Amino acid sequence: MVACTAALCFGGLSSPQAGAAAQGCRTAAAGTGPAQGAAGGGSACAEPAPRPAASDTPVGNNGQLHVCGVHLCNQYDHPIQLRGMSTHGIQWFGQCYNSASLDALAADWKADLLRIAMYVQEDGYETDPAGFTDRVNSYVDMAEARGMYALIDFHTLTPGDPNFNLQNAKTFFASVAARNAAKKNVIYEIANEPNGVSWGAVKSYAEQVIPVIRAADPDAVVVVGTRGWSSLGVSDGSDESEIVNNPVNAANIMYTVHFYAASHKDAYRAAVSRAASRLPLFATEFGTVSSSGDGAVDRASTTAWLDLLDQLKISYANWTYSDAPEGSAAFRPGTCDGSDYSSAGVLTDSGALVKSRISTPDDFPTS
């Protein structure tokens, strides 16, 4: 967001930052599906905790979600907050998303949400539309089996104008919405981080993509990216008023806010505090580090952000549930070659902090 370069703005979002290590991930992940196990040697760990009864999971408790006022609400019309993790690019880190890792995410991390980051460019969807669509659907099923919500992220970044990918978006969302319409655990995120583009252009894109989803899945929540790398316009010198004064013409939608705690502080939190009384917000991605996706954890700023999101009941997903060689990753490099995704020995500073926050008891009112 702040002081971004063309190749690298938000945490872990563009492949160049990972350098040679990311190139290795491309090779390791190529052709792998979500069911790929964590083969090879890894640290020994206990058997995964038993899965909770279906009725005692986030989806079991909350059912089909919808927007009520400025909140995300459950089937009982009560505001709730979902807390979870985002994948890294599934084209690079597919080995991190398997039965063992998702069992750990649901049972040990006690996450409510898995965000599925499907890049469009950068060796992503455009290289194999059918294959990536199938992989996303498989992750949706894996989340559903564990009672977690699945946030399908159409991960546009470069080019920053989502209209560049309008036809890809229509094709992709028509397919996944038709396939998953009967499920209660699916949320659609239609544009990751619009950048270098006006709010009017983002709004136009949203008003063309949302009807495609609604034609197949009329009830699901749709999350719309905001300009300035989903900063509510703050990183472009604007603020939430441009959205408040010119909202997307659609119902049951929310607006995205992204932040990286070491880079985005008081001015960004102030914008979120103001916007939360006027707009339904969803922090579909945040990092504990700088906007490069790397560096040291800013514990004080991360805590201030998460306390604010808790207070406002704004749902969030942390970047990333991966072993990428960067400070924003939850796991130490090599973790995804093993079968332990929970113990202190495999967690980075970021992973330990975020796990400590999202594994606390949820507040899901049912009456």
Side-chain angles (χ1 to χ4, degrees):
M1 285 169 111
V2 179
C4 300
T5 66
L8 180 62
C9 178
F10 251 105
L13 298 189
S14 189
S15 58
Q17 71 171 349
Q23 182 63 43
C25 294
R26 289 188 184 89
T27 303
T32 60
Q36 178 186 353
S43 57
C45 64
E47 286 297 311
R51 292 181 193 169
S55 61
D56 192 30
T57 64
V59 176
N61 282 314
N62 294 296
Q64 178 65 56
L65 305 178
H66 63 284
V67 178
C68 56
V70 294
H71 295 292
L72 181 66
C73 293
N74 66 11
Q75 61 187 334
Y76 305 103
D77 293 326
H78 292 301
I80 64 166
Q81 179 195 38
L82 301 179
R83 301 171 298 171
M85 297 296 292
S86 176
T87 72
H88 205 302
I90 60 175
Q91 76 274 41
W92 300 314
F93 292 93
Q95 72 274 18
C96 291
Y97 313 115
N98 53 66
S99 293
S101 68
L102 294 191
D103 282 349
L105 185 62
D108 300 332
W109 289 62
K110 303 189 188 315
D112 310 314
L113 172 75
L114 174 69
R115 180 188 189 233
I116 304 163
M118 187 201 71
Y119 281 70
V120 184
Q121 278 72 49
E122 301 182 62
D123 302 325
Y125 173 82
E126 67 178 5
T127 67
D128 182 9
F132 276 93
T133 301
D134 287 347
R135 292 177 69 179
V136 168
N137 286 331
S138 294
Y139 293 133
V140 168
D141 291 349
M142 294 172 78
E144 180 186 40
R146 292 158 177 81
M148 293 188 293
Y149 289 92
L151 177 62
I152 298 176
D153 163 32
F154 193 70
H155 203 89
T156 56
L157 182 66
T158 305
D161 184 352
N163 291 286
F164 179 87
N165 283 300
L166 179 60
Q167 191 54 55
N168 278 332
K170 288 181 175 181
T171 300
F172 173 72
F173 282 112
S175 177
V176 294
R179 192 264 189 183
N180 297 303
K183 297 181 183 295
K184 296 180 179 180
N185 74 315
V186 177
I187 304 168
Y188 302 98
E189 181 181 0
I190 62 174
N192 166 54
E193 286 183 352
N195 61 87
V197 66
S198 69
W199 168 243
V202 179
K203 177 177 182 286
S204 173
Y205 166 85
E207 290 176 349
Q208 294 176 78
V209 174
I210 292 171
V212 173
I213 296 172
R214 292 280 181 253
D217 191 346
D219 299 322
V221 173
V222 176
V223 189
V224 179
T226 60
R227 80 173 171 114
W229 294 274
S230 284
S231 68
L232 300 175
V234 176
S235 286
D236 281 353
S238 185
D239 59 30
E240 74 284 354
S241 62
E242 66 182 15
I243 306 168
V244 171
N245 295 331
N246 188 24
V248 172
N249 183 24
N252 207 29
I253 66 167
M254 307 186 81
Y255 296 92
T256 301
V257 59
H258 288 180
F259 64 88
Y260 278 76
S263 297
H264 310 125
K265 300 190 177 185
D266 291 346
Y268 292 83
R269 286 190 285 267
V272 169
S273 295
R274 294 191 306 266
S277 65
R278 307 289 299 277
L279 300 168
L281 301 179
F282 199 132
T284 59
E285 178 181 317
F286 83 90
T288 62
V289 296
S290 76
S291 58
S292 71
D294 208 355
V297 169
D298 189 326
R299 183 173 293 270
S301 182
T302 299
T303 299
W305 268 112
L306 296 183
D307 287 350
L308 178 65
L309 299 186
D310 290 351
Q311 174 193 336
L312 298 172
K313 281 193 177 293
I314 295 175
S315 299
Y316 62 77
N318 174 248
W319 185 270
T320 60
Y321 197 67
S322 80
D323 62 357
E326 55 198 20
S328 56
F331 303 122
R332 298 182 187 279
T335 296
C336 295
D337 295 328
S339 57
D340 176 7
Y341 296 89
S342 300
S343 74
V346 302
L347 298 178
T348 62
D349 289 346
S350 182
L353 174 57
V354 174
K355 182 175 182 285
S356 74
R357 295 290 300 225
I358 69 174
S359 60
T360 57
D362 288 307
D363 177 20
F364 292 149
T366 58
S367 62

